[in-house]
Amino acid sequence: MEYRHKTSPSPRKFKVVASARKVLFTVFWDMEGVVQMEFLEQGQTVNSERYISTLRALKLRLRRVRRDKDSILQHDNKYLKGHHYDNDEEVIADVRRWCRGQSSEFFANGVRQRVKRWRLCVDSDGDYVEK
């Protein structure tokens, strides 16, 4: 119920639009390329239990694909920002295609940038560091 003056215009009704669905994917990569990629199923959330499961799977994968190597891992999901898809399968296919299309230098540069930021952070005693 709404109180208004008799001459006031009628209240506007807004269209109800279904909220955009989002697909969360997590990719771990090092200087050689993608180590593990995981897509979160619809209706699932990232909580401690889920993340522990992801990290355990990552540990097993590292043993298989990066045997006897130390890796600095980058964990990112920024590629999808601003992209729109009709369904989950399109998202997954595009992300996989994008990852396969990146050169090893792309991944190496990403890790090098991370190391530079760590150094800046350490040098500034943990204060905020701009990119």
Side-chain angles (χ1 to χ4, degrees):
M1 182 163 208
E2 180 179 325
Y3 292 101
R4 58 188 176 85
H5 193 274
K6 289 180 184 179
T7 59
S8 297
S10 298
R12 296 181 86 180
K13 295 195 179 199
F14 296 94
K15 287 184 180 180
V16 176
V17 178
S19 63
R21 290 179 25 160
K22 293 186 178 186
V23 175
L24 177 70
F25 88 97
T26 304
V27 59
F28 292 92
W29 47 276
D30 62 10
M31 292 185 83
E32 295 180 36
V34 173
V35 175
Q36 179 178 324
M37 191 180 324
E38 183 177 276
F39 295 86
L40 193 65
E41 302 85 22
Q42 288 293 328
Q44 298 292 311
T45 58
V46 177
N47 55 26
S48 60
E49 188 175 303
R50 174 64 188 222
Y51 203 65
I52 287 168
S53 171
T54 297
L55 293 175
R56 285 186 176 141
L58 174 64
K59 183 179 177 181
L60 293 173
R61 178 91 175 132
L62 280 169
R63 285 182 182 162
R64 286 194 314 269
V65 300
R66 299 292 192 262
R67 193 175 304 184
D68 301 325
K69 292 183 180 179
D70 291 330
S71 291
I72 295 175
L73 291 173
Q74 175 78 19
H75 170 209
D76 202 353
N77 62 359
K78 292 175 185 161
Y79 166 70
L80 292 179
K81 185 176 183 178
H83 292 251
H84 300 280
Y85 302 90
D86 291 329
N87 57 55
D88 296 354
E89 291 74 26
E90 284 183 16
V91 177
I92 292 168
D94 191 33
V95 168
R96 287 192 170 132
R97 185 176 27 260
W98 181 84
C99 286
R100 282 192 303 267
Q102 302 308 308
S103 68
S104 58
E105 193 59 26
F106 169 84
F107 295 106
N109 283 336
V111 172
R112 286 186 201 109
Q113 290 299 318
R114 180 67 54 192
V115 172
K116 283 182 187 177
R117 285 191 177 142
W118 289 339
R119 287 189 181 128
L120 285 171
C121 187
V122 169
D123 292 345
S124 66
D125 294 323
D127 284 343
Y128 179 76
V129 177
E130 286 287 334
K131 290 183 179 183

